[in-house]
Amino acid sequence: MAEARVIPIDGRPAPRRRPASESAQGSKRPDAVAHEPAVAADWERKVAGALAFVRRRITGDYAVDEFGFDADLNDNVLMALMRPLYDKWFRVETRGLDNIPDTGAALVVANHSGTVPLDSLMTQLALLDHHPARRHLRMLGADLVFQMPFIAPLARKSGATLACAPDAERLLSGGELVGVWPEGFKGIGKPFSERYKLQRFGRGGFVSAALRMGAPIIPCSIVGAEEIYPIIGNAKTLARILGVPYIPITPFFPLLGPLGAIPLPSKWIIEFGEPIDTSELGSAAADDPMLVFNLTDQVRETIQQTLYNLLIQRRSVFF
Amino acid sequence: MAADGVTPPRVVLVTGVSRYLGERLASILSDDPSIEQVIGVDVVPPRGDLGRTEFVRADIRNPIIAKVIASADVDTVVHMNVIATPLGAGGRSAMKEINVIGTMQLLAACQKAPSVRKLVVKSTSAVYGSSPRDPALYSEDMEPKALPRSGYAKDAVEVEGYVRGFGRRRPDVATTLLRFSNFIGPRIETPLTRYFALPVVPRVLGFDPRVQLIHEDDGVEVLRMAALENHAGTFNVGGAGVLLLSQAVRRAGRPSVPIVEPAVNLTGQLFRRAGLVDFSPEQLRFLEHGRAMDTTRLRTVFGYEPSYSTVEAFDDFVRGRSLRPYLPKRGLADIEATLGAVLTRRRTVGG
């Protein structure tokens, strides 16, 4: 991990969010007269930006792509709401960001855990705030996500779409960075005792999609998400009645009510691994089930090994 | 554009000519001097001016239609008589008869007529249904995830089935099936245009569907090209891009009211009874999950690029109907400027 880029714990992402006046203050003591207008100008810019955003929202003056991705809302509101969680609560450290290309299609495949899919949101924010090209991760979500009221429109607005071959291939052929969590509900809703043990990787549909489009596969290992809501039980009957895959019981939920919905402040590491090139195999390889199975296994093993390595390096769950 | 050995049509028959799109297509075709004769068929006489179109008052459910086709030596049939609104047709069962039995009669007549060389059928994107398991964009060869079970959409699925059957029995006839997304524009009247013109627009709580629209002018142009040129096959017809329903309502400057999902069907029925908006259950589902189509084939194979995108078509509709937003854009800009000035001044003085 020689190329690993370590973000300091208190490190707020430098680009865009640190105003010019603040960094100027740090490097050289500016005289008060020069400093005042700089702060005022920055404030003015912020106010104007916020007001313009509100006006755009009221008049519907923003663009939504054909998948329903609302970049204006995602970047200015949804991701902004996630930032404190990312920076202060989970203190996410990202590694191997240079494995993500600046342009063009790639498929990020990651492990899924944590009861609530915060890991996908954190991965999305990591790539938006810390990747030099500020890439949007377009996530592939399960059917259930798009059936649930409130969740369905939010998922689409944040750039997610249904995990199906046509959508994955359409996104990849459009040069997008696509994120997939092939363990699905099996991974996210597994008991705490099985933490960091990868579940079955679906049917390998994501590998076929990448092969067909010649997009590189980037294994991504996320450590820390397993501990945010440790599942010690599952209210199976209630889950069946409500038609959801699981109702988690954690040490604090539902015991402490809404307080139990606060995630534990575990320390997170998100590592993007070496890309697996699929362009040489050709799109016909997508129809070779043995090759698809082997490649799926290879990706799964890579993520599992990286998880074990990261767990050894981790000092404790919370620091 | 009647190039590459395509002979322009001599006699065109247009069904559903008394409704808006039929009227416009008939009058455009009758302006074309290369076409010898345009025959318009409908059960009610047209209100507008159809140029030199000869109107035949006939019901396509009746075998008279076969006589019309045979006696006039019709070579091109444009079938636009699949209707979406039971209110206009006189009830759902009458609507189903007109749509399904009417199409069967018309196709039977076409099959018997050796003069027919071309068939154009106006269908709808509703045949793809609307469900949360849909891919983001439907292309022509995809199967719907949930087949429409009622109303207009089901009729359209059945009509398409008969059209495919006809295509197999008469392979010499160039059959064009056009799946139009929802029409919009300053003049056309559809359940959707009436919906957006409501003083308060009801929406399904917790859902925000993607809506794809086609401008009426683009729709008429696609129908004209299909009638004049040879474009056998199935084509999705829609403007580029999508609008979210919430965004569309905001662009129209309408306030909206959320309806909880269990009450949606009841609300729909109330609106139908009151004669406000005639939405059928599957159109109500569309307000929940939306739908969008891939129109690559229209642009590359058919060779038409809609001049209005979905957003432009919607804006043209808002302008054309002069829907007055409750919060005028100019006023909002003024508020923004004032508020900005006040906030920044206070900060500069205080800090």
Side-chain angles (χ1 to χ4, degrees):
Chain A
M1 263 134 264
E3 78 285 7
R5 198 181 119 198
V6 179
I7 311 289
I9 285 171
D10 64 331
R12 286 174 42 197
R16 195 184 66 137
R17 296 202 309 105
R18 181 163 293 170
S21 60
E22 256 180 63
S23 46
Q25 195 182 16
S27 58
K28 176 180 75 145
R29 258 196 88 85
D31 49 347
V33 190
H35 182 53
E36 278 289 304
V39 168
D42 181 46
W43 169 256
E44 255 170 49
R45 195 169 47 76
K46 271 187 184 161
V47 166
L51 287 173
F53 175 76
V54 171
R55 184 194 21 89
R56 284 200 303 277
R57 299 316 293 187
I58 292 177
T59 54
D61 190 15
Y62 46 88
V64 170
D65 82 356
E66 46 202 8
F67 297 89
F69 176 43
D70 184 344
D72 190 38
L73 182 75
N74 184 63
D75 296 3
N76 290 312
V77 177
L78 302 180
M79 287 293 109
L81 288 174
M82 286 297 139
R83 248 170 225 134
L85 214 54
Y86 182 100
D87 291 333
K88 298 286 186 302
W89 197 255
F90 297 133
R91 297 143 291 147
V92 182
E93 173 187 332
T94 48
R95 298 181 180 181
L97 272 174
D98 45 359
N99 286 322
I100 307 279
D102 282 357
T103 55
L107 183 69
V108 175
V109 182
N111 59 313
H112 212 8
S113 61
T115 312
V116 177
L118 282 178
D119 49 359
S120 46
L121 293 171
M122 292 298 131
T123 314
Q124 191 187 7
L125 188 57
L127 290 164
L128 185 66
D129 275 0
H130 299 285
H131 192 272
R134 297 179 47 76
R135 293 208 69 172
H136 283 121
L137 183 67
R138 307 299 301 270
M139 297 162 295
L140 301 178
D143 304 20
L144 189 67
V145 172
F146 299 97
Q147 289 167 20
M148 288 191 285
F150 303 104
I151 306 288
L154 264 185
R156 283 219 174 270
K157 283 172 194 178
S158 71
T161 190
L162 186 73
C164 62
D167 283 18
E169 284 164 21
R170 191 179 297 280
L171 281 168
L172 287 173
S173 66
E176 298 282 355
L177 184 63
V178 180
V180 65
W181 284 260
E183 290 172 276
F185 286 109
K186 299 187 298 296
I188 194 170
K190 67 180 177 294
F192 190 60
S193 56
E194 287 179 33
R195 60 191 179 278
Y196 300 114
K197 282 186 195 137
L198 287 188
Q199 305 293 302
R200 185 168 60 81
F201 257 25
R203 279 167 275 186
F206 68 95
V207 169
S208 310
L211 282 170
R212 215 160 273 138
M213 293 297 132
I217 299 174
I218 300 165
C220 169
S221 315
I222 305 167
V223 161
E226 293 274 16
E227 288 90 2
I228 58 172
Y229 299 108
I231 297 188
I232 53 171
N234 181 4
K236 277 188 188 139
T237 319
L238 186 61
R240 210 171 300 137
I241 291 168
L242 293 177
V244 291
Y246 58 91
I247 302 261
I249 297 170
T250 74
F252 311 105
F253 184 87
L255 199 64
L256 298 184
L259 276 182
I262 299 173
L264 295 179
S266 54
K267 161 80 183 161
W268 286 35
I269 304 169
I270 299 178
E271 175 162 334
F272 299 99
E274 292 269 330
I276 300 168
D277 187 23
T278 62
S279 56
E280 282 174 18
L281 296 165
S283 62
D287 298 321
D288 177 354
M290 192 47 87
L291 194 142
V292 171
F293 277 134
N294 288 341
L295 206 51
T296 310
D297 253 12
Q298 186 192 337
V299 175
R300 193 172 171 278
E301 277 309 306
T302 310
I303 296 173
Q304 184 72 76
Q305 282 311 317
T306 316
L307 283 176
Y308 287 147
N309 285 338
L310 289 174
L311 285 171
I312 293 168
Q313 289 171 34
R314 183 168 73 157
R315 280 172 294 163
S316 90
V317 171
F318 297 107
F319 299 102
Chain B
M1 266 276 294
D4 47 270
V6 180
T7 46
R10 211 174 53 80
V11 182
V12 185
L13 179 118
V14 180
T15 69
V17 78
S18 294
R19 293 182 309 126
Y20 177 73
L21 288 170
E23 268 181 26
R24 277 195 63 183
L25 181 70
S27 70
I28 286 176
L29 291 178
S30 71
D31 285 346
D32 189 331
S34 68
I35 301 172
E36 213 167 274
Q37 194 183 7
V38 182
I39 303 170
V41 179
D42 211 322
V43 282
V44 287
R47 284 155 297 173
D49 174 34
L50 299 187
R52 56 188 177 94
T53 304
E54 291 161 39
F55 177 71
V56 177
R57 188 164 182 168
D59 191 334
I60 55 168
R61 287 173 286 177
N62 192 302
I64 286 176
I65 197 77
K67 292 202 185 85
V68 174
I69 290 175
S71 63
D73 251 3
V74 171
D75 57 17
T76 299
V77 174
V78 184
H79 180 33
M80 303 173 62
N81 208 27
V82 183
I83 47 181
T85 47
L87 273 185
R92 168 70 188 127
S93 54
M95 166 186 159
K96 190 174 175 74
E97 273 221 352
I98 294 170
N99 287 350
V100 180
I101 309 297
T103 302
M104 286 176 78
Q105 284 283 358
L106 180 71
L107 293 180
C110 290
Q111 195 180 325
K112 279 268 177 254
S115 60
V116 173
R117 313 240 47 90
K118 199 186 296 170
L119 172 70
V120 179
V121 178
K122 171 180 165 282
S123 184
T124 163
S125 62
V127 296
Y128 294 116
S130 181
S131 96
R133 287 158 60 233
D134 287 349
L137 300 181
Y138 267 110
S139 52
E140 287 84 350
D141 48 3
M142 285 182 191
E143 292 289 319
K145 287 286 171 190
L147 261 180
R149 276 168 305 186
S150 62
Y152 173 47
K154 187 176 181 231
D155 290 357
V157 171
E158 288 177 14
V159 164
E160 286 202 1
Y162 290 121
V163 170
R164 268 189 294 276
F166 171 82
R168 277 193 298 274
R169 288 189 290 273
R170 280 290 302 270
D172 58 313
V173 175
T175 306
T176 310
L177 197 55
L178 301 168
R179 290 179 181 150
F180 287 95
S181 53
N182 295 65
F183 276 96
I184 205 136
R187 286 171 298 276
I188 192 166
E189 281 282 324
T190 73
L192 201 69
T193 60
R194 278 192 286 274
Y195 170 77
F196 280 121
L198 287 172
V200 178
V201 182
R203 290 169 43 203
V204 185
L205 180 70
F207 288 97
D208 199 0
R210 291 165 305 129
V211 179
Q212 187 180 29
L213 302 168
I214 179 86
H215 193 277
E216 51 189 43
D217 295 351
D218 282 322
V220 171
E221 178 58 16
V222 168
L223 285 163
R224 188 194 69 85
M225 282 173 71
L228 292 185
E229 302 162 16
N230 250 356
H231 298 287
T234 304
F235 299 95
N236 290 339
V237 186
V242 299
L243 263 175
L244 294 180
L245 185 62
S246 62
Q247 189 187 6
V249 169
R250 286 171 192 167
R251 288 186 92 92
R254 309 264 102 181
S256 68
V257 54
I259 308 282
V260 290
E261 206 195 338
V264 165
N265 277 334
L266 188 73
T267 315
Q269 272 173 26
L270 285 177
F271 275 76
R272 205 173 312 148
R273 293 258 168 78
L276 287 171
V277 174
D278 192 8
F279 268 148
S280 54
E282 83 281 345
Q283 282 162 319
L284 292 173
R285 266 183 82 71
F286 171 71
L287 292 186
E288 222 170 279
H289 302 298
R291 181 195 315 119
M293 299 184 296
D294 183 350
T295 54
T296 313
R297 212 142 113 185
L298 175 75
R299 286 181 272 115
T300 56
V301 182
F302 192 93
Y304 184 69
E305 181 88 47
S307 51
Y308 291 85
S309 71
T310 291
V311 176
E312 288 161 355
F314 188 78
D315 287 351
D316 193 43
F317 156 74
V318 172
R319 268 194 307 275
R321 296 293 163 105
S322 49
L323 292 180
R324 194 157 303 146
Y326 292 98
L327 283 168
K329 271 191 181 161
R330 287 253 317 271
L332 271 176
D334 290 347
I335 294 171
E336 185 189 341
T338 323
L339 212 59
V342 169
L343 283 171
T344 46
R345 191 179 314 136
R346 179 167 301 165
R347 168 74 188 212
T348 337
V349 172

